[in-house]
Amino acid sequence: MIGGGPAGLTCARVLQGHGIEVTVYDADEAVDSRDPGGTLDLHADSGQIALEDAGLLDAFLARARPEGQAKTRRDHHGTVLAEFTPDPGDEAAPEIDRGRLRRMLFDHLRPGTVRWGHRLVRVNPLGDGGHLLEFADGTTVPADLVIGADGAWSKVRPLVSDAAPRHLGVCFLDARFDEVDSRHPEVAAIVGAGHLFSNDNDGRAVILQRNSDGVVRGYIAFRAAPDWHIAAGVDLTDRESIRAYLVREFGHWSPAMRTLIVRNDGDYVPRSFWALPAPLTWDHVPGVTLIGDAAHLMAPFGGHGANLAMLDGAELAHAVSRAVGPDPAATLDEAVGRYESAMFARSGELAVSSNDALVQFFATTDEPDLPPDHEQEHRDYLARAEAYRRERARGRGERAEA
């Protein structure tokens, strides 16, 4: 397994539940050696199914924040356009900090499963489906199945596809507010218990998320090329240089909304939105496959990326177990090929809709981009979860009869 994010760790946990040996290689020095990012909502019809397969759904719910499902949409003057507050007991898509999720998954793997500090350089085919992994420290490792869970810039993907991520025309600056309730009460009041989405219908937006431990993380986003700072004369290492640029760009926003842009604690972290061509498919290559962003990198609108990644991991683990168990129902490559076909069908349409939603949110328009009906969205998550379980049980019953 290349990559120790939620997809790779979920897959490893489910594989171990089937009694299958797996080693995870990750470039990070430790599970918590870098900032993992903000918060995730895990959907009942995908991420939660994967955690249930991993035996970790209760552990997740004990750490999750159902109240974090709340959402507010405002315009750039601060006017509330729409609000959603989850009902008591609503666990259709609770929030969890990325770092807490990664730590939970890691802590439930067998000791020694993850080899930290291993940055993959290349994968060399050996013939007959085998591959040799080469790492930056000179280590080489042979493998009979290589799973690329290594994200947007996957080193494994070129073995199955020449597809590369394309920039979606939007960049953003990751910012944070610490001890928000006491030090930034105005920010806490605007964000509430969950998420704030705000845009000006002309390519600029602020998206803020309540995290655990009194933290709010924010994304100040705008249409731009990846090298926008060069033409703008902005020094990305200089907080005040960035703030001066944002004051100009967001000068037509109300004073209260500009507070969300220039009062953050710490430095801004520049990022940008990229996506793979969607829907992306490939012909199966013996001995290698992909899960998560390595397979279907998409815009974050809709929150499908991490959820699909974890479900990919669980479903691939089940597929592998049907090929290497005491009574195999298929060869390893047949099983992996079937996983890929199902993954393509599961992720393709969602990738297209997520990318389209981002473009629409940042479009110049006279019509406000109103959010979906979140109450209906949550009912749909639960209904699809039940349908997914029924279909899975039917498939297992057919295999048992065969």
Side-chain angles (χ1 to χ4, degrees):
M1 184 83 63
I2 307 301
L9 298 181
T10 299
C11 189
R13 165 73 180 184
V14 179
L15 284 169
Q16 289 184 346
H18 286 295
I20 299 170
E21 293 298 322
V22 57
T23 304
V24 180
Y25 296 93
D26 194 277
D28 290 346
E29 294 300 320
V31 66
D32 53 2
S33 63
R34 64 178 172 88
D35 181 357
T39 184
L40 295 169
D41 58 330
L42 294 192
H43 303 168
D45 63 347
S46 47
Q48 290 187 46
I49 288 176
L51 287 172
E52 186 175 51
D53 290 356
L56 296 176
L57 184 57
D58 288 343
F60 160 70
L61 293 174
R63 294 165 171 81
R65 293 176 287 104
E67 71 280 4
Q69 298 171 102
K71 294 178 177 65
T72 303
R73 181 68 63 88
R74 296 175 183 260
D75 66 16
H76 62 294
H77 301 299
T79 302
V80 175
L81 303 177
E83 288 184 295
F84 167 70
T85 301
D87 292 331
D90 184 344
E91 294 181 340
E95 296 283 333
I96 186 170
D97 291 8
R98 290 174 180 269
R100 292 191 175 194
L101 176 64
R102 193 186 197 197
R103 167 61 74 174
M104 180 190 77
L105 291 165
F106 171 69
D107 285 346
H108 286 85
L109 293 173
R110 294 174 193 157
T113 298
V114 183
R115 309 289 173 84
W116 300 110
H118 281 71
R119 181 173 64 84
L120 183 68
V121 175
R122 65 182 59 87
V123 185
N124 297 313
L126 297 175
D128 297 324
H131 292 83
L132 186 70
L133 309 177
E134 295 185 23
F135 295 95
D137 63 358
T139 303
T140 59
V141 177
D144 53 0
L145 177 62
V146 179
I147 302 171
D150 49 343
W153 307 105
S154 171
K155 288 290 198 306
V156 181
R157 187 191 305 119
L159 294 171
V160 301
S161 172
D162 60 3
R166 62 182 177 88
H167 190 248
L168 294 178
V170 175
C171 296
F172 67 104
L173 297 162
D174 187 340
R176 63 182 289 147
F177 301 86
D178 298 317
E179 301 173 35
V180 66
D181 295 298
S182 59
R183 298 183 59 234
H184 303 283
E186 70 285 3
V187 175
I190 291 175
V191 175
H195 293 66
L196 164 73
F197 296 85
S198 178
N199 71 357
D200 62 3
N201 295 327
D202 194 22
R204 301 171 193 85
V206 173
I207 302 169
L208 299 180
Q209 305 172 322
R210 174 77 70 154
N211 287 228
S212 300
D213 302 322
V215 172
V216 163
R217 296 191 69 138
Y219 307 99
I220 303 155
F222 41 89
R223 288 198 309 256
D227 59 353
W228 63 270
H229 59 285
I230 297 174
V234 173
D235 181 355
L236 292 179
T237 66
D238 183 340
R239 190 187 316 171
E240 294 309 316
S241 175
I242 294 174
R243 280 183 173 158
Y245 172 80
L246 294 176
V247 167
R248 295 193 301 271
E249 280 292 299
F250 290 80
H252 58 295
W253 288 47
S254 71
M257 298 303 287
R258 287 201 303 273
T259 296
L260 310 176
I261 298 166
V262 300
R263 298 285 181 85
N264 55 295
D265 298 308
D267 293 328
Y268 297 93
V269 180
R271 307 188 192 278
S272 52
F273 290 111
W274 298 75
L276 286 165
L280 178 64
T281 64
W282 58 82
D283 294 330
H284 176 67
V285 174
V288 61
T289 193
L290 305 174
I291 61 177
D293 283 352
H296 44 66
L297 177 68
M298 66 188 72
F301 279 59
H304 300 298
N307 282 281
L308 287 172
M310 294 172 67
L311 189 58
D312 288 350
E315 291 291 9
L316 176 58
H318 295 318
V320 170
S321 74
R322 292 192 286 272
V324 301
D327 187 20
T331 68
L332 183 60
D333 278 304
E334 288 172 342
V336 172
R338 290 169 188 164
Y339 149 76
E340 289 174 340
S341 295
M343 181 265 291
F344 297 151
R346 187 168 56 238
S347 63
E349 183 178 336
L350 291 176
V352 172
S353 64
S354 295
N355 298 339
D356 288 347
L358 180 140
V359 172
Q360 180 179 344
F361 187 72
F362 286 94
T364 296
T365 177
D366 293 329
E367 297 295 327
D369 178 48
L370 294 178
D373 181 342
H374 292 299
E375 291 184 3
Q376 184 60 52
E377 186 178 59
H378 282 209
R379 288 192 291 269
D380 290 344
Y381 287 151
L382 296 172
R384 287 195 297 265
E386 289 305 311
Y388 197 96
R389 291 186 176 93
R390 286 196 302 271
E391 181 63 22
R392 180 189 269 181
R394 185 182 68 81
R396 287 173 178 170
E398 290 176 352
R399 286 194 295 273
E401 290 177 4

